[in-house]
Amino acid sequence: MTETRYDRAPGDGFAPANVEEEPGSGVLIYTIGLLLAVILTAISFWVANTSLLWAPGVSLGLTALAIAQMGIHLVFFLHVTTGPDNTNNVMALAFGVLIVVLVVAGSLLIMADLNESMMPAELMNLHMQH
Amino acid sequence: MNVNVALKEDVRPEARTIASEAGPAPKRIVVGYGFWIFLLSDIVMFAALFAAYAVLAHATAGGPGGAQLFNQVSVAIETGCLLASSYTCGLMSLAVGSQRRFRTYAAAVVTFALGAAFLTLELREFAGMIAVGATPQRSAFLSAFFTLVGCHGLHVTVGLIWLAVMMLQIAVKGFRATVERRLLCFSLFWHALDIIWVWLFTVVYLMGVHS
């Protein structure tokens, strides 16, 4: 008997969809995900409100925490793994992340650059009077 | 049935055909993958709204800024609601997988209630902001804020309607393959909304209050 091995649908659990998982193992995975997400969220709120940390680094820290929590959600809730049956899902996700990074970082970079090279307000007023 | 499953599990990995030689994949995998692509395109749309917000975050035109408007306690409760509803949605997909009707309904009701609580808190926040004159017309910052957060809220609303429709379908049609595929898509949608909310509370609320 040869068994065909298909890719896994995104969102399906760690066992293939038609195989009965041990009762409880699925619940355990979601519960671990929930606990980790709650911990990361609590740290995020603490970081934003504490005065103990170096203020300019807080935004960077919050971004890192959000990326970590996104990873937790992807692995424990959406079941995206590095397994060979998940290659298609991961490739699509990687492309999505690429576009998101290009759009967000590109917009911020271009707009910051534009603001930088903008004529100062008082010069602009002089210019308009002539 | 169980014997069959045990046999399938015993097949050694090297005896299996690889995915590219296996022919068309089952419909569940094709549908799930297609919906995954849709979700990623939806996330790209949110990325554009996030970029607009980040560029305009300081363009308050002399109006109120994030630090005056945002209430962190309400945001924390909203975050808790959405995270817990994502968890119960996961429990629901487990119950659907093992075709347990009562557990499915129970998890769906909790998911719906938590999602509705999130939406109520968000609408109350919007109403409070509009009451103090912080309307979308006030400044570019507020336009971007209402577009971004409102778009997420709209997605949650659609998700709640979808969940109610799915419960009706289970009641009428039972656990058919079509209904199970739709429930798979719903849980993907709901978890993706939670990922977007993680970025929302980080970028809009926490960074907004901090700076």
Side-chain angles (χ1 to χ4, degrees), chain A residues 1-12 16-21 23 25-28 30-34 37-38 40-41 44-45 47-50 55-56 58-60 62-63 65-67 69-70 73-74 77-78 80 88-94 96-97 99-100 103-104 107-108 111 115, chain B residues 1-2 4-5 7-9 11 13 15-26 28-30 32-33 36-37 39-40 43-44 47-48 50-52 54-55 72-73 75-76 79 83-84 86-87 89-91 93-94 97-98 100 184 187-189 191-192 194-195 198-199 201-202 206-207 209-210:
Chain A
M1 184 173 127
T2 51
E3 179 68 17
T4 48
R5 186 191 178 96
Y6 293 110
D7 290 352
R8 190 175 298 163
D12 265 342
N18 52 352
V19 175
E20 192 82 22
E21 265 184 86
S25 74
V27 178
L28 185 67
Y30 281 113
T31 310
I32 295 171
L34 179 71
V38 165
L40 284 172
T41 306
S44 283
F45 276 86
V47 164
N49 289 297
T50 185
V58 165
S59 310
L60 202 64
L62 285 173
T63 310
L65 283 163
I67 291 172
Q69 193 166 346
M70 187 172 71
H73 281 250
L74 284 173
F77 290 165
L78 286 161
V80 173
N88 284 337
N89 304 338
V90 173
M91 287 302 279
L93 176 68
V97 170
I99 300 296
V100 167
V103 167
V104 173
S107 303
L108 284 174
M111 292 313 288
N115 278 340
Chain B
M1 187 67 198
N2 268 329
N4 248 334
V5 169
L7 272 177
K8 280 182 185 171
E9 278 297 87
V11 176
R16 294 176 173 185
T17 323
I18 55 167
S20 57
E21 293 169 358
R28 183 183 171 88
I29 290 162
V30 176
Y33 186 67
W36 184 232
I37 302 283
L39 280 179
L40 289 168
I43 286 171
V44 167
F50 268 108
V55 166
Q72 280 201 67
V73 178
V75 175
T79 307
L83 194 56
S86 212
Y87 176 70
C89 176
L91 296 186
S93 40
L94 288 176
S98 50
R100 290 194 177 102
L184 170 74
S187 62
L188 282 174
F189 182 72
H191 293 315
D194 209 14
I195 292 182
V198 168
W199 285 102
F201 82 72
T202 303
L206 294 184
M207 287 184 186
V209 167
H210 183 259

Side-chain angles (χ1 to χ4, degrees), chain B residues 8-9 25 134 155 158 163:
Chain B
K8 280 182 185 171
E9 278 297 87
H155 275 75
V158 170
L163 180 60

Side-chain angles (χ1 to χ4, degrees), chain B:
Chain B
M1 187 67 198
N2 268 329
V3 180
N4 248 334
V5 169
L7 272 177
K8 280 182 185 171
E9 278 297 87
D10 285 341
V11 176
R12 290 198 309 278
E14 56 266 35
R16 294 176 173 185
T17 323
I18 55 167
S20 57
E21 293 169 358
K27 194 152 187 188
R28 183 183 171 88
I29 290 162
V30 176
V31 167
Y33 186 67
F35 198 75
W36 184 232
I37 302 283
F38 159 73
L39 280 179
L40 289 168
S41 71
D42 211 31
I43 286 171
V44 167
M45 183 204 70
F46 268 105
L49 295 179
F50 268 108
Y53 176 83
V55 166
L56 299 171
H58 299 290
T60 52
Q68 290 107 55
L69 290 171
F70 301 150
N71 174 8
Q72 280 201 67
V73 178
S74 144
V75 175
I77 298 170
E78 284 174 47
T79 307
C81 282
L82 215 54
L83 194 56
S85 87
S86 212
Y87 176 70
T88 54
C89 176
L91 296 186
M92 182 181 77
S93 40
L94 288 176
V96 169
S98 50
Q99 307 217 332
R100 290 194 177 102
R101 206 175 267 254
F102 175 73
R103 284 196 194 183
T104 308
Y105 285 135
V109 164
V110 179
T111 307
F112 190 94
L114 287 166
F118 167 86
L119 210 59
T120 313
L121 279 169
E122 187 162 79
L123 287 175
R124 185 179 290 176
E125 186 200 351
F126 282 1
M129 284 174 70
I130 289 169
V132 296
T135 59
Q137 296 98 314
R138 180 62 189 83
S139 64
F141 155 69
L142 284 164
S143 301
F145 169 82
F146 277 102
T147 311
L148 175 57
V149 183
C151 193
H152 178 266
L154 218 55
H155 275 75
V156 174
T157 313
V158 170
L160 288 178
I161 296 169
W162 190 0
L163 180 60
V165 170
M166 287 324 299
M167 287 310 107
L168 279 177
Q169 291 201 349
I170 289 181
V172 176
K173 300 179 172 181
F175 288 106
R176 283 189 206 169
T178 46
V179 175
E180 287 188 4
R181 283 200 295 270
R182 286 168 200 161
L183 281 163
L184 170 74
C185 291
F186 170 77
S187 62
L188 282 174
F189 182 72
W190 203 247
H191 293 315
L193 280 186
D194 209 14
I195 292 182
I196 290 168
W197 179 255
V198 168
W199 285 102
L200 259 174
F201 82 72
T202 303
V203 172
V204 175
Y205 292 103
L206 294 184
M207 287 184 186
V209 167
H210 183 259
S211 58

